[in-house]
Amino acid sequence: MTPPVAQTGAGNVTTATIGAGSSVTISKPSNLADGDLLVAVLNHHVGGGTWAAPSGWDEVTTFSAGRTAGVWIKAVPSAAAETAPNYTWATTGTGSGRMGGLIVRVTGADLGAPVDAVGTWQPALGATGVTTTRPDCLLLG
């Protein structure tokens, strides 16, 4: 099995930002292929909210102290069946504020169990340790 790889560059990573609001729409990466895993990371500068994620996306972790942030994944067994051109996340209960996010295309992930371990959100730069239990894990931070 090939280790997972976060693909970078044109067609593999999409981003979106808004200056003020409570939802953001991010385009689907154009290089999406069968067997890919999509990873979305969202941040809203206003804290205390909850997220409404697009259909088919699974929550990995969220954070809502000082800001409202989160990570979601979506397995894509068939790129042809993934007909949505974009995906919209919204926050509730937090008001309007700066918001942004990205979607990155990951190849070689185990779509049946793509997440092995999750660390702790840090409002400032820095991270806690993460111990994985499987070989060849892709660490995203």
Side-chain angles (χ1 to χ4, degrees), residues 15-16 36 50 55 61 74 76 131:
T15 63
D36 283 353
T50 59
S55 177
T61 186
K74 182 178 180 78
V76 182
T131 302

Side-chain angles (χ1 to χ4, degrees), residues 58-76:
D58 296 320
E59 180 182 303
V60 175
T61 186
T62 59
F63 180 85
S64 63
R67 70 188 68 219
T68 302
V71 176
W72 291 263
I73 58 173
K74 182 178 180 78
V76 182

Side-chain angles (χ1 to χ4, degrees), residues 5 26 38 48 74 105-106 120 132:
V5 175
I26 307 171
L38 295 178
K74 182 178 180 78
R105 178 178 162 251
V106 174
T120 303
T132 61

Side-chain angles (χ1 to χ4, degrees), residues 59-134:
E59 180 182 303
V60 175
T61 186
T62 59
F63 180 85
S64 63
R67 70 188 68 219
T68 302
V71 176
W72 291 263
I73 58 173
K74 182 178 180 78
V76 182
S78 167
E82 190 60 31
T83 58
N86 54 54
Y87 310 97
T88 300
W89 280 262
T91 59
T92 59
T94 60
S96 179
R98 292 183 313 277
M99 180 181 271
L102 66 85
I103 296 175
V104 63
R105 178 178 162 251
V106 174
T107 59
D110 176 356
L111 297 185
V115 176
D116 182 57
V118 177
T120 303
W121 276 99
Q122 299 292 319
L125 292 178
T128 61
V130 175
T131 302
T132 61
T133 62
R134 298 184 304 211

Side-chain angles (χ1 to χ4, degrees), residues 8-75:
T8 59
N12 296 309
V13 178
T14 54
T15 63
T17 59
I18 60 169
S22 58
S23 68
V24 66
T25 299
I26 307 171
S27 297
K28 173 176 67 179
S30 60
N31 291 345
L32 190 64
D34 293 353
D36 283 353
L37 178 73
L38 295 178
V39 178
V41 180
L42 282 289
N43 183 53
H44 190 218
H45 95 283
V46 181
T50 59
W51 288 99
S55 177
W57 286 83
D58 296 320
E59 180 182 303
V60 175
T61 186
T62 59
F63 180 85
S64 63
R67 70 188 68 219
T68 302
V71 176
W72 291 263
I73 58 173
K74 182 178 180 78

